[in-house]
Amino acid sequence: MKRPVLVKLGGSVITFKDRPLAANIEAIDRISSVLAGVSPLVVVHGGGSFGHYWSVKYDMHTKPAAYDPHGVSVVHESMVALNQVIVNSMIKAGSNPYALAPPVFTSGHRPLPSKIKEIGAMAQAGMTPVTYGDVVHMGGKKYSILSGDALMSMLARALRPSKVIFATNVDGIYRDMKAKELVSEMRPDGKVEFSDVLADVTGGMQRKVREAFKIASLGMDVMMVNGLVPERIAEAAGGKTPVGTLVRGRR
Ligand code: IP8
C-alpha cells in the first residue's frame, strides 16, 4: 500500500486575499494540473477571501461560541462555493476529486477515526478526497471555525502520509523577515520569528508553522512551499526537495 501525499492549499494561493470572494482561478488551474499527476492524494484547502472574509464580517473565530446563525450559514456556503471551484478545476485537469465537508469525518474538532480511514481507502482506490477549513457545530448553539491547518494535523496523524505539503504564497519560513532569508531545513523545535506576519481568523502563517511542527513531531517530514510556483508542489510530492522549508520529522 502506497502512503498518500497530503497537500494543503492555503487561502493565499487559491484566492486573492485582498479582494472579497475572488478565487485565483489561474493559480487553481495550474495547481490542479500538477495535482493530476499525484496519487494517492488527499487535499485540504483554506478559506482565503471566502471563509475568512465572512468570518471577519460575522466576528466568528476558532473559539466555540453562539455566533450569529446567519453568519454560520454564510461562512459555510462561501467555503462550499470555493470548494466547488477547486473540485471543478481538478475534474477538468483529469483528477477524480471527491469533496468532503469536515463534519463528514469530524465531530466538532475531534476526528472520527473510522471515517478518516475511509478517506484513506478512497485515496488508495483512485479518488482524491478534498476537504477544507469550515465552520463546524460544537453542540447546542455553539459553532467554531475549524481551520484547514488543524485538519492537516488530524489527517496526518491518522493517514501517516508519505509527504505533507503546505502550499502558501511565500517560499517557506524565513529566518529574517526583512532580509527574506529562507530557512531550507529545520527541526520541529526550531525558532521562528513571527513579528511581521499578519494573522487572520485562524492564525495565518503562525498556525501553519505550529501545525507543521506538530506533524513533524509525529515523525513525518513537512514541506512548506510556494504554491504560486506549482512545480514545487510536484517536486515535493515526488520526493524531491524544492525551494522551500523542510521541517524534518522527528525520528
Ligand atoms: O484558511 C479557515 O480555514 P484556513 C476557513 O485553513 C474559514 O484557516 C471558514 C475561515
Side-chain angles (χ1 to χ4, degrees):
M1 196 186 73
K2 212 170 145 199
R3 283 155 68 197
V5 172
L6 179 63
V7 178
K8 161 92 195 278
L9 305 176
S12 59
V13 182
I14 54 175
T15 72
F16 295 104
K17 272 204 145 175
D18 50 355
R19 265 200 275 148
L21 309 173
N24 187 343
I25 308 278
E26 198 206 311
I28 293 171
D29 284 348
R30 285 169 55 222
I31 290 170
S32 294
S33 300
V34 157
L35 294 183
V38 181
S39 175
L41 170 70
V42 176
V43 176
V44 177
H45 68 80
S49 73
F50 285 69
H52 283 283
Y53 171 76
W54 287 117
S55 311
V56 169
K57 287 259 183 243
Y58 284 95
D59 198 21
M60 287 165 57
H61 307 272
T62 51
K63 184 173 173 272
Y67 297 112
D68 180 348
H70 193 72
V72 172
S73 295
V74 170
V75 170
H76 174 64
E77 277 316 300
S78 74
M79 288 309 300
V80 171
L82 177 58
N83 177 255
Q84 284 259 291
V85 175
I86 290 164
V87 163
N88 283 323
S89 164
M90 290 175 72
I91 290 174
K92 214 171 56 188
S95 288
N96 310 318
Y98 192 105
L100 294 165
V104 170
F105 60 92
T106 62
S107 172
H109 286 212
R110 284 192 321 270
L112 299 174
S114 68
K115 285 293 173 187
I116 296 188
K117 234 192 215 156
E118 276 181 48
I119 292 179
M122 286 174 72
Q124 291 300 328
M127 299 299 297
T128 299
V130 182
T131 188
Y132 46 88
D134 201 355
V135 54
V136 294
H137 186 224
M138 299 301 285
K141 291 189 169 173
K142 291 192 175 165
Y143 284 83
S144 153
I145 303 282
L146 174 57
S147 79
D149 297 328
L151 291 173
M152 286 293 282
S153 290
M154 191 189 284
L155 292 170
R157 198 184 287 270
L159 299 175
R160 308 298 301 184
S162 60
K163 304 274 167 330
V164 179
I165 303 165
F166 283 84
T168 68
N169 67 342
V170 292
D171 284 346
I173 299 172
Y174 295 111
R175 193 179 319 274
D176 178 333
M177 287 306 294
K178 279 186 202 83
K180 290 251 163 163
E181 190 194 336
L182 194 64
V183 181
S184 57
E185 188 176 325
M186 68 190 304
R187 303 267 153 197
D189 35 27
K191 290 257 173 306
V192 188
E193 210 191 302
F194 285 116
S195 47
D196 290 2
V197 183
L198 277 179
D200 54 24
V201 169
T202 57
M205 196 63 175
Q206 198 159 342
R207 166 177 281 275
K208 239 167 276 304
V209 172
R210 197 159 5 108
E211 299 297 339
F213 281 12
K214 216 191 273 176
I215 296 167
S217 300
L218 297 170
M220 288 162 268
D221 287 348
V222 180
M223 193 75 216
M224 324 243 339
V225 297
N226 193 332
L228 296 170
V229 190
E231 301 70 41
R232 293 181 188 166
I233 301 178
E235 283 175 34
K240 297 202 186 99
T241 309
V243 172
T245 301
L246 169 66
V247 185
R248 268 260 181 242
R250 196 169 275 148
R251 305 276 182 251

